[in-house]
Amino acid sequence: TACSAATGNILYVDPAAGSDNGHTGASTCPFKTITKALEFLGANAAAGTTVQLVDFDPATNGETFPILVPKNVVIETSAMVATPVKVTVAAGKAGFILDAPSSGLSNLVIDGAANTATSGIAAYGGSAVASTQVTNVTVQNFLASGIVVGTVNKQATAGAVTLGPGVVVTGNGTTMKPAPGVAVTSGTATITGAAGAGHTSVHGNTQHGILVTGSGFVTISGSAPATAPGVATVDADNNAIAGLWISQMPGGVTSSQTNMVTGLEVTGTVGGNGVHVEGGSFLTMTNSYIVGNHASGVVVSSSGNGPAANSVITGINFGKIGAPGGNTFQGPIDNLTNPVAGICLAIPAAVTAGAAQTLSAEGNIWSSTVDCKTSAGSVTHTAACANGIDIGGIGGANNRNTADVAMCTLQ
């Protein structure tokens, strides 16, 4: 019987029962591979086209990786299937490349075949944060970063993608080759979450949860405020070194590339700190919950070493006049503390008043549990980062660096 034509801008892929020979992608004549479905579509797919998977797609199925998702196409699990379809990427290969607007991935599990495939998703130049979207997708067990945002082949523009709601990135990297869950080296990623099934989680990776370097920047939009573990709609929990590490290129970024972080939960970091941000970077953090990590909640350090080191913290903002932070940086909520410090200001001591810097940290919650956004209270500090202090690295005989913690005061 001849295959009927596909309708409704939908092509079906069934790795178990489909065929790439003579089939049309109709529900009764599905293709065997995503590769063939995209070849069939060509370069000018109609707006709103979907490629729908109805069965598990193993690495041995014959896919040609990486799979480039063209403009106007979303690859997703079919509504005929009760659970997200798993696509297993071949060893040594990347899974999917997003380099076009109006493209995306939805309701899938992208698996790295026991950390032998390289990365699950790469967003490169040509993608657009408003229309290149990854929703309800799990990216797991890759050798390198689960998701990469940046450039390739000297592109003039960098990747731009929205991750979420419902994105899970976990198990990426190995003990011998640690890797982050999400790496943004240039361009930008917007990371969003929602309640219930829309929760976005970048957890259990062997290096950082989210790593931002070079000229890259992220916008993280979670629940506000993140008041306790499990409440936030975006988390970067239980990663090896940091939930969020920001190391932008000093002098190579401007305030237009500020990392805007709202409603992020970071707890349970295994061997490091919840958040690490380096001098010269731009970060505004509000309504986030950074408690219960191995060392400090937040470390603010110099970028680089020696004469090239950058220790400027003017672009780092945890709360200012008229825009309080609303972050929780120290317990004892749920008996969770950061045993070294809530915030550790690990930049060189300022011996003279002219060299002194002030960390903006107004309107947050510390170990006294007073909400400095609405009430006066005390914030503990010492010159050292130790013993669960609220803020370490300020004060002392030879250090004039300080922090603005209004409405509270340093004690």
Side-chain angles (χ1 to χ4, degrees):
T1 303
C3 285
S4 58
T7 60
N9 295 331
I10 300 172
L11 295 181
Y12 291 92
V13 173
D14 186 342
S19 174
D20 287 347
N21 297 312
H23 279 209
T24 59
S27 59
T28 54
C29 283
F31 293 116
K32 180 177 178 62
T33 65
I34 302 168
T35 302
K36 184 63 178 180
L38 296 179
E39 177 186 312
F40 183 85
L41 283 172
N44 299 301
T49 296
T50 60
V51 174
Q52 300 194 7
L53 279 67
V54 299
D55 205 347
F56 169 58
D57 193 2
T60 56
N61 187 42
E63 298 286 4
T64 300
F65 291 105
I67 295 172
L68 276 67
V69 184
K71 181 179 178 180
N72 294 330
V73 174
V74 173
I75 300 172
E76 62 186 11
T77 294
S78 170
M80 296 187 292
V81 182
T83 58
V85 166
K86 181 191 287 187
V87 178
T88 302
V89 180
K93 301 293 185 179
F96 294 87
I97 293 178
L98 300 172
D99 63 357
S102 303
S103 62
L105 302 164
S106 182
N107 199 28
L108 299 169
V109 175
I110 305 173
D111 187 80
N115 304 100
T116 60
T118 55
S119 292
I121 301 171
Y124 293 139
S127 54
V129 73
S131 63
T132 305
Q133 299 182 322
V134 178
T135 60
N136 299 305
V137 170
T138 295
V139 181
Q140 63 186 26
N141 306 327
F142 284 87
L143 179 63
S145 306
I147 299 176
V148 177
V149 181
T151 61
V152 67
N153 298 330
K154 299 182 180 180
Q155 287 178 309
T157 60
V161 64
T162 295
L163 306 175
V167 170
V168 176
V169 188
T170 187
N172 297 291
T174 65
T175 302
M176 297 299 294
K177 293 183 177 181
V182 177
V184 183
T185 60
S186 58
T188 187
T190 294
I191 302 173
T192 68
H199 180 90
T200 289
S201 179
V202 185
H203 70 271
N205 298 286
T206 57
Q207 192 195 58
H208 314 304
I210 302 164
L211 172 62
V212 181
T213 60
S215 60
F217 63 103
V218 296
T219 300
I220 299 176
S221 300
S223 62
T227 53
V231 174
T233 56
V234 179
D235 79 69
D237 292 344
N238 303 310
N239 294 286
I241 300 176
L244 171 64
W245 188 296
I246 299 172
S247 178
Q248 290 174 298
M249 183 188 305
V253 290
T254 68
S255 59
S256 66
Q257 293 154 297
T258 296
N259 296 278
M260 302 295 296
V261 178
T262 299
L264 173 67
E265 173 188 299
V266 182
T267 189
T269 300
V270 176
N273 309 289
V275 175
H276 192 126
V277 56
E278 295 183 356
S281 297
F282 289 85
L283 167 65
T284 296
M285 176 175 283
T286 58
N287 297 318
S288 294
Y289 184 87
I290 318 295
V291 172
N293 296 288
H294 176 78
S296 293
V298 177
V299 168
V300 179
S301 74
S302 299
S303 171
N305 299 299
N310 188 302
S311 302
V312 176
I313 62 172
T314 53
I316 300 171
N317 171 21
F318 298 112
K320 292 185 176 181
I321 295 173
N327 304 291
T328 299
F329 289 126
Q330 200 54 291
I333 295 175
D334 291 326
N335 298 314
L336 290 176
T337 61
N338 294 302
V340 174
I343 295 180
C344 176
L345 188 58
I347 61 173
V351 178
T352 66
Q357 297 192 77
T358 299
L359 181 69
S360 298
E362 288 197 12
N364 297 298
I365 299 173
W366 309 89
S367 59
S368 67
T369 71
V370 171
D371 186 346
C372 301
K373 181 170 58 178
T374 57
S375 304
S378 297
V379 176
T380 61
H381 77 285
T382 61
C385 298
N387 301 318
I389 201 75
D390 287 336
I391 303 180
I394 62 175
N398 297 305
N399 186 5
R400 300 199 180 193
N401 292 327
T402 188
D404 175 7
V405 296
M407 298 174 56
C408 293
T409 56
L410 294 171
Q411 174 181 308

